[in-house]
């Protein structure tokens, strides 16, 4: 049986097991969760997280060096950032439009006593200003993605400029990358078990009452995620890469299912890169540049949750948002998507920033807190799919510029 089929079956079994345990034997669930599901899930998560920092460093260095001269780098960089910003804007517009039509927040919601401890959301300007690390080793130990990316781009650029002089280091980095990719393969064998444990644990500990109360809100988010994937990703794949959207989604499904079970774009990164390179034929140099960047700054799924949540909270608190406020929401949500780290639950923290920008009560977040764990899984899968779609399109666009596809596409 193919690994991707195994993972999908594990996901389905995980949902069923989680539901049955939750509804039938809640007490047995907590014991099982504590001693079996959580440990197995954490083990899997840690195994893939272990590879993230070295993979980002190696692949961005190689990606930058592989693109060669700064002109190519500029072209690929501009297309990538353009695609990210464009699709995120579309995502938030779809989300807000659907929420305005379906009105998930109109009805009886208990707002009395709702509390949400607002955590300090990092200011986006600070994130952008801090992009150059004063200490790259510290950036790596802290896992500061944008800083690691910036440092790696510099190193890759220097390697190109120095050419044969630094061939030894280049070989070393190439081999380092091979080692990491080999380890991804090994760890993926464990993915079905890890995915099962993570999903069963998440579904099993979900309050079912919250799901009932928030059914319409959840449905609107899910519908927006689905529409966005079909329209923005499917559409742009067909239009710009001249490829079938079905081929794209089918090929990328294994990475989506891992994102779904881990709720973390960062943790899924090694697998999303491997999947894009092997199943979608994206050049290593493009995948190695576009996907780590996307996992860090491109979060369409998160923007969708924030768009629906903002309209939902406005409806619950009976606040009318005018056109200026809507535009402010779009702008802040795009910025929030850049500032959101690719780890579980951060989208909700950044939502506070969006709500603040139009003066909506941050306590409203308390209402959606209960169901956010489940939505996080779905939106993370969408987040990384946007990065892969961008990689396929940029890769296609480089066909006429970069000739060496055959050598570069991994075997
Ligand atoms: N979990 C999401 C991700 O890693 C971020 C979020 O929306 O919370 O992409």
């Amino acid at each position: 049986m193919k690994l991707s089929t195994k993972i999908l079956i594990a996901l389905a079994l995980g949902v069923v097991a989680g539901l049955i345990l939750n509804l039938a034997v809640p007490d047995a669930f907590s014991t099982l969760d504590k001693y079996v599901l959580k440990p197995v899930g954490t083990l899997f998560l840690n195994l893939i997280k272990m590879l993230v920092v070295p993979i980002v460093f190696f692949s961005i260095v190689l990606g930058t060096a592989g693109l060669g001269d700064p002109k190519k780098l500029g072209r690929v960089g501009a297309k990538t950032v353009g695609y990210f910003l464009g699709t995120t804007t579309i995502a938030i517009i779809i989300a807000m439009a659907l929420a305005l039509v379906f009105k998930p927040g109109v009805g009886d919601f208990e707002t009395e006593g709702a509390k949400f401890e607002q955590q300090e959301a990092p200011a986006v300007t600070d994130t952008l200003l801090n992009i150059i690390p004063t200490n790259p080793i510290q950036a790596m130990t802290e896992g500061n993605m944008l800083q690691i990316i910036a440092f790696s781009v510099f190193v890759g650029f220097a390697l190109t400029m120095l050419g044969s002089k630094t061939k030894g280091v280049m070989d070393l980095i190439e081999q380092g990358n091979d080692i990491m990719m080999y380890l991804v393969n090994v760890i993926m064998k464990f993915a079905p078990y890890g995915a099962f444990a993570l999903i069963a644990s998440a579904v099993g500990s979900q309050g079912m009452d919250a799901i009932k109360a928030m059914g319409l809100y959840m449905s609107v988010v899910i519908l927006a995620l689905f529409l966005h994937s079909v329209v923005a990703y499917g559409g742009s794949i067909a239009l710009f890469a001249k490829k079938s959207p079905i081929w794209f989604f089918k090929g990328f499904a294994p990475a989506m299912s891992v994102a779904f079970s881990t709720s973390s774009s960062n943790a899924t990164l090694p697998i999303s890169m491997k999947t894009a390179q092997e199943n979608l034929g994206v050049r290593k140099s493009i995948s190695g540049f576009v996907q780590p960047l996307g996992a860090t700054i491109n979060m369409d799924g998160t923007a969708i949750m924030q768009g629906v949540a903002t309209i939902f909270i406005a409806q619950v608190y009976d606040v009318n948002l005018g056109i200026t406020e809507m535009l402010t929401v779009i702008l802040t949500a795009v910025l929030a998507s850049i500032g959101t780290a690719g780890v579980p639950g951060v989208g909700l923290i950044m939502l506070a920033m969006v709500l603040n920008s139009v003066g909506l009560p941050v306590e409203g977040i308390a209402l959606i807190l209960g169901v956010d764990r489940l939505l996080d899984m779905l939106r993370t899968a969408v987040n990384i799919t946007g990065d892969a779609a961008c990689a396929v399109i940029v890769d296609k666009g480089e066909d006429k510029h970069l000739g060496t596809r055959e050598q570069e596409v991994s075997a």
Side-chain angles (χ1 to χ4, degrees):
M1 202 193 292
K2 266 181 34 195
L3 182 64
S4 49
T5 322
K6 272 194 200 159
I7 301 178
L8 286 177
I9 293 175
L11 285 185
L13 288 178
V15 172
V16 174
L19 274 178
I20 293 178
L21 289 171
N22 190 327
L23 297 173
V25 276
D27 293 337
F29 170 77
S30 39
T31 318
L32 197 68
D33 191 35
K34 189 164 164 206
Y35 293 107
V36 183
L37 300 177
K38 278 255 163 64
V40 173
T42 309
L43 192 65
F44 173 59
L45 261 180
N46 289 353
L47 279 170
I48 48 177
K49 280 187 189 164
M50 167 177 87
L51 305 179
V52 172
V53 169
I55 279 197
V56 169
F57 175 68
F58 291 139
S59 61
I60 295 216
V61 170
L62 288 177
T64 314
L67 290 174
D69 71 273
K71 234 172 69 200
K72 273 187 209 157
L73 186 62
R75 189 177 57 229
V76 168
K79 276 190 201 165
T80 303
V81 173
Y83 186 89
F84 287 167
L85 293 180
T87 48
T88 308
T89 311
I90 297 175
I92 172 112
I93 291 175
I94 293 180
M96 287 168 68
L98 288 181
L100 287 171
V101 172
F102 289 103
K103 303 193 179 31
V106 176
D108 277 338
F109 286 97
E110 193 50 66
T111 54
E112 214 55 22
K115 271 214 187 65
F116 177 74
E117 290 286 331
Q118 187 177 352
Q119 295 179 41
E120 194 66 46
V124 178
T125 39
D126 286 348
T127 313
L128 292 178
L129 278 181
N130 286 336
I131 235 172
I132 312 274
T134 48
N135 180 346
I137 306 297
Q138 190 184 3
M140 288 185 192
T141 56
E142 289 173 353
N144 184 325
M145 286 304 155
L146 277 182
Q147 294 193 342
I148 302 174
I149 291 174
F151 178 65
S152 317
V153 168
F154 279 113
V155 174
F157 170 71
L159 282 177
T160 321
M161 288 303 161
L162 295 172
S164 55
K165 226 177 175 179
T166 47
K167 186 159 180 324
V169 175
M170 186 74 186
D171 288 346
L172 190 74
I173 291 183
E174 240 157 34
Q175 288 163 10
N177 197 46
D178 289 346
I179 295 176
M180 293 303 140
M181 283 299 175
Y182 173 78
L183 289 179
V184 175
N185 272 332
V186 174
I187 289 169
M188 278 303 278
K189 301 221 176 356
F190 183 59
Y193 309 99
F196 172 84
L198 288 168
I199 295 296
S201 171
V203 173
S205 41
Q206 183 66 51
M208 290 300 154
D209 291 345
I211 294 188
K212 265 192 224 135
M214 297 295 290
L216 187 55
Y217 165 80
M218 290 181 79
S219 312
V220 175
V221 174
I222 294 171
L223 180 65
L225 290 171
F226 178 75
L227 263 185
H228 181 69
S229 306
V230 173
V231 174
Y233 305 149
S236 61
I237 287 284
L239 200 67
F240 301 122
K242 308 266 183 292
K243 295 257 174 62
S244 137
I246 296 175
W247 161 85
F248 170 75
F249 287 113
K250 240 178 135 179
F252 198 62
M256 290 170 83
S257 54
V258 173
F260 182 76
S261 39
T262 61
S263 291
S264 168
S265 303
N266 281 359
T268 315
L269 185 59
I271 292 142
S272 30
M273 287 173 54
K274 188 178 107 66
T275 312
Q277 290 169 16
E278 291 178 5
N279 294 4
L280 305 176
V282 178
R283 285 181 189 81
K284 279 184 187 168
S285 61
I286 302 282
S287 146
F289 181 81
V290 173
Q291 288 180 289
L293 192 64
T296 316
I297 67 165
N298 183 43
M299 314 261 168
D300 295 355
T302 303
I304 285 173
M305 176 279 285
Q306 292 172 343
V308 178
T310 307
I311 302 291
F312 169 80
I313 289 170
Q315 287 165 350
V316 169
Y317 287 87
D318 225 357
V319 181
N320 248 329
L321 295 180
I323 195 79
T324 332
E325 276 121 352
M326 301 263 191
L327 290 175
T328 312
V329 172
I330 296 179
L331 186 72
T332 27
V334 171
L335 290 176
S337 143
I338 298 176
T340 305
V343 289
V346 187
L348 211 58
I349 297 172
M350 298 303 278
L351 175 61
M353 173 180 132
V354 181
L355 295 176
N356 275 331
S357 74
V358 285
L360 282 168
V362 172
E363 299 77 58
I365 297 182
L367 294 172
I368 53 178
L369 205 60
V371 292
D372 197 64
R373 178 71 188 82
L374 294 184
L375 293 177
D376 197 5
M377 309 194 308
L378 287 166
R379 68 171 179 261
T380 306
V382 172
N383 285 346
I384 63 152
T385 307
D387 310 334
C390 179
V392 170
I393 291 167
V394 172
D395 184 67
K396 172 83 180 169
E398 287 304 296
D399 273 356
K400 53 180 182 292
H401 301 286
L402 305 170
T404 55
R405 174 184 211 91
E406 281 67 34
Q407 298 159 10
E408 268 198 67
V409 173
S410 63

